[in-house]
Amino acid sequence: MEIEESRATGWVAWVLFGGILLVLLGAIHLTVGLVTLLRPEFIAGDRADLLLPVSLTALAWMHLALGVLALVTGAGLIRGLTWARVVAIQLAVLAALVNFTFIAVFPVWSIIAVVLATLIAWAAAMHGDEVADAIAPPTPAAFGS
């Protein structure tokens, strides 16, 4: 019986952490989008409708679209798919830029979010290919067949 050594490093954990965060972020965006579509009075009059000059319905659909994209990308990143790495890096860079613009309003949270987004983007870019190797099922040859 031959056992192969994995070439995965500890950075795989950061890539998986990013995938889990994307799934959670997608669920939150889907929830906000659905609540805004079904019960717009929950968000009307809040600072959210003053941030962008768009209607609440348009804001709800943007949340729904971003939620679906984040959910699918997070699941793909956890599975080690290449396209998910590319999209996750783009979403992380976008998140870092958006949170950077809010440093004056939410300094501590914005700095934490920028650092996390940067770490996840770097881990996905540099070590994302290790995820597929780390979670790949063993081949029949590994069992001496």
Side-chain angles (χ1 to χ4, degrees), residues 60-140:
W61 284 107
M62 284 190 282
H63 274 288
L64 286 172
L66 184 59
V68 169
L69 178 65
L71 270 171
V72 171
T73 302
L77 190 60
I78 290 168
R79 292 187 59 215
L81 302 176
T82 304
W83 67 265
R85 286 175 52 205
V86 173
V87 175
I89 292 165
Q90 292 171 347
L91 286 174
V93 169
L94 178 64
L97 290 174
V98 168
N99 281 289
F100 184 75
T101 63
F102 284 98
I103 283 182
V105 181
F106 304 111
V108 174
W109 172 245
S110 294
I111 291 170
I112 290 169
V114 167
V115 169
L116 280 175
T118 305
L119 273 172
I120 291 166
W122 188 82
M126 301 304 292
H127 301 280
D129 58 337
E130 297 172 17
V131 174
D133 293 339
I135 63 173
T139 60

Side-chain angles (χ1 to χ4, degrees), residues 22-46:
L22 275 174
V23 169
L24 292 174
L25 181 69
I28 291 169
H29 277 287
L30 279 173
T31 303
V32 169
L34 286 173
V35 167
T36 305
L37 276 179
L38 301 175
R39 305 288 300 255
E41 63 271 10
F42 282 133
I43 198 169
D46 196 6

